[in-house]
Structure formats: structure tokens, C-alpha cells
């Protein structure tokens, strides 16, 4: 069953926790600014037992069994950040959140004074590729009061937005990474199996997998399947309401292909484990499991008390304080165990966030 992109899967907050429960002090020095030299050379905090075990990510195959099913998010990060100026010379920055069709995009806009509807912004082209790249403002999105802005992206050759962003855009690094995007980021802020363009943030747990590790998993009989969730910029926004039921979750488009649905059914029938790689995979699978809808938009907000229907193990990075992802992993592995794991990770100087290290979690009993 499919769902129009304007409809969203949501769910009600069931936790008695408040926002302050998910805060913690994180030394700035632990926020990873660059990836590890090797993808699978990152550290892995094995949180399935107490006390947790320090490992290296390439040890993951030894923690899985033949027949287990790894589910990855195959979204591809687009070069969504564009720079330019208004006719007055004022600087502007766009972060394209969605490609809408007809050369239209929905984007965040950073500018000192918002241009009028109908205004055309001259955008900066890549060196040696001047082709008249510009963006014309049509209004707000998804409605007249929406948080994003709708533009037509165009150039002299009439290329589509994906082609234009690939040629002229910048890697949309997270706000806590302080350097400008580089050739290294173009490679490393992308999974090795990225396929479907549309994300403005990487599914970061999957960044630890390289071809050698995937080959090893295949050889030992670990199964693989893919979903798609186009990660939005909202993933970096902290929750701001102390009462979690008042939080308005951002919307992201997802799809669970028929082949993946069958792979999960086969895995469950065998009695093997479904292993989600990343919180975006969790959001995708649980959106489908709770709604029966395989394609659409989701605003699912997973907090302690949530009933997980599909996932047994979770591979994930370390998340921002007060973020919805902190609440998700607390719902999955238990609030007290997660807070203890984070204290351990800080004490042992694990690297945090997108380019940081990972942890392996088991679902707590219902």
C-alpha cells in the first residue's frame, strides 16, 4: 500500500520522561571533525552486556550469525548546499531539502532579509563551469506558512536539480562540523552502497561499512536488505519542548521495497535476528510495521515506551543531547542502560556524532 507524500506516519508519545532527562555534558573535543582513517577502523562500543565491551568496528561479523539480516538505508547524500546572492548583492545560502519535480525544490534559506516572491538569486557555480545557475523564489513550502521555501533551480542548459547540485553544490556537512566541505567529505560522508539521491544528511552508522567488511559478512551467511529514507536537516535539530508530547517531529520520505519486506518475513520465519543499521533504518521499518504503509512520509517520534515490532539489534552512532535520536535509542535499549553507555563512551573518549564511533545495542524486553 502506498501513501501520498503529503501524508505522514506519526505516533503518540508514551514516555513519562521529559526533555531534561536526555541532556548530558559532552566535551567539544569528542565531536569528530573528520572520519577515522579507515571506515571499519572506528571503535565499537558493544552495549549488549553490562559492563559494555570496547571493540573495533571490523569485529562486527564475529558478533552476528549466519541468517541474521542487516538492513541498511541506501539513501544518497546530495550536494544540497548552494551559495549565491540577491540582486542587491546580499549573500544567501540554500540547503535543498527536497526535489519536487518540474525543476522545483524545497529548501532552507539563510539570508539577512528574505527576497520577494519572484526574485531570482544568482548562485555560485563550480570553478570553470559558469552556466547561469540561478534560483527563483516561488513562495513557502509545503504551504503558505511552511518552514521551507520553494524555488525553481535552472541554468542555461536546462539541467535538472540533481544534475545542478552534483555540479555546483557542496556536501551538506552537519552544523557541528566546522570545516568547509572537501574532497575527503565527498567520499566519506557517503555510504559505499549509496544509491537513491535525496538525503541532506548521511545515515551515519552505515559509514563504518567498507567493501571488505560487507564481503566478509556475505561470506559468513549474514543477509542484507535495504530501505530508503531521505534524511532531512531536521535530524540535527534538538527537541525544544520539555513536555515531549508537544514536540512537532520533522517529516522524511521513506520506502520499504517488496524485496526487503520478504527478506524480513523470511528472517522472522527462520528465527534469526533483524539488525537495523542506523536510526534512520529504525524509523523506516517501524513506520512501515506500525502503519502497513510501505512508501510515504513519516513523522514517527520514538520515545521510551514505544513497542518495537521488527528490530532485534541496532548499530548506531552516538547522538546529540536532547535529540529525538537519544530518545529513540533509549526506547530501544532502555533509558538507564543508554545513559550509562554514554557516560562510558565519554569517559573512554569515544568520538561522537556523524564522523564518530559506533555502538551495538540489543532491544530490551517489552
Amino acid at each position: 500500500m502506498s501513501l501520498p507524500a503529503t501524508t505522514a506516519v506519526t505516533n503518540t508519545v508514551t514516555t513519562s520522561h521529559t526533555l531534561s532527562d536526555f541532556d548530558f555534558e559532552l566535551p567539544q573535543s569528542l565531536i569528530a571533525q573528520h572520519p577515522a582513517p579507515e571506515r571499519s577502523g572506528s571503535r565499537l562500543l558493544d552495549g549488549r552486556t553490562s559492563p559494555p565491551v570496547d571493540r573495533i568496528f571490523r569485529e562486527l561479523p564475529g558478533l552476528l550469525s549466519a541468517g541474521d539480516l542487516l538492513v541498511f538505508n541506501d539513501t544518497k547524500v546530495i550536494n544540497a548546499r548552494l551559495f549565491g546572492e540577491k540582486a542587491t548583492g546580499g549573500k544567501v545560502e540554500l540547503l535543498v531539502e527536497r526535489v519536487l519535480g518540474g525543476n522545483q525544490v524545497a529548501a532552507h534559506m539563510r539570508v539577512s532579509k528574505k527576497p520577494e516572491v519572484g526574485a531570482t538569486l544568482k548562485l555560485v557555480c563550480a570553478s570553470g563551469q559558469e552556466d547561469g545557475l540561478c534560483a527563483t523564489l516561488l513562495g513557502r513550502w509545503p504551504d503558505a506558512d511552511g518552514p521551507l521555501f520553494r524555488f525553481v533551480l535552472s541554468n542555461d542548459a536546462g539541467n535538472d536539480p540533481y544534475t545542478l547540485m552534483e555540479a555546483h553544490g557542496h556536501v551538506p556537512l552537519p552544523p557541528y562540523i566546522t570545516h568547509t566541505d572537501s574532497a575527503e567529505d565527498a567520499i566519506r560522508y557517503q555510504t559505499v552502497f549509496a544509491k537513491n539521491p535525496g538525503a541532506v544528511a548521511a545515515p551515519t552508522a552505515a559509514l563504518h561499512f567498507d567493501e571488505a567488511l560487507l564481503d566478509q559478512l556475505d561470506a559468513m551467511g549474514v543477509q542484507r536488505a535495504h530501505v530508503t529514507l531521505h534524511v532531512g536537516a531536521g535530524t540535527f535539530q534538538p527537541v525544544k519542548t520539555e513536555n515531549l508530547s508537544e514536540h512537532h517531529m520533522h517529516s522524511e520520505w521513506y520506502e520499504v521495497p517488496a524485496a526487503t519486506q520478504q527478506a524480513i518475513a523470511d528472517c522472522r520465519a527462520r528465527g534469526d535476528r533483524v539488525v537495523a543499521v542506523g536510526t534512520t533504518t529504525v524509523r523506516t521499518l517501524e513506520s512501515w510495521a506500525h502503519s502497513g504503509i510501505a512508501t510515504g512520509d513519516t513523522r514517527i517520534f520514538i520515545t521510551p515506551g514505544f513497542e518495537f515490532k521488527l528490530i532485534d539489534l541496532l548499530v548506531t552512532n552516538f547522538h546529540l543531547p536532547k535529540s529525538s535520536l537519544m530518545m529513540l535509542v533509549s526506547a530501544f535499549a532502555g533509558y538507564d542502560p543508554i545513559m550509562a553507555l554514554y557516560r562510558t563512551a565519554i569517559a573512554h573518549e569515544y568520538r561522537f556524532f556523524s564522523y564518530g564511533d559506533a555502538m551495538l545495542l540489543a532491544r530490551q524486553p517489552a
Side-chain angles (χ1 to χ4, degrees), residues 19-94:
L19 179 61
S20 299
D21 293 330
F22 299 93
D23 196 11
F24 60 91
E25 290 294 327
L26 178 68
Q28 287 289 311
S29 61
L30 298 186
I31 300 175
Q33 295 296 314
H34 296 275
E38 298 179 49
R39 290 180 185 265
S40 59
S42 299
R43 298 170 71 188
L44 176 67
L45 185 59
D46 185 352
R48 297 173 302 159
T49 60
S50 182
V53 180
D54 286 302
R55 301 185 185 275
I56 302 298
F57 198 86
R58 65 174 62 95
E59 297 177 43
L60 181 65
L63 311 179
L64 302 177
S65 303
D68 287 342
L69 177 68
L70 279 169
V71 185
F72 296 93
N73 182 2
D74 67 4
T75 189
K76 184 176 182 179
V77 179
I78 55 179
N79 290 346
R81 183 163 281 125
L82 297 164
F83 298 96
E85 61 182 27
K86 299 184 292 183
T88 59
K91 301 300 182 184
V92 63
E93 177 184 330
L94 303 182

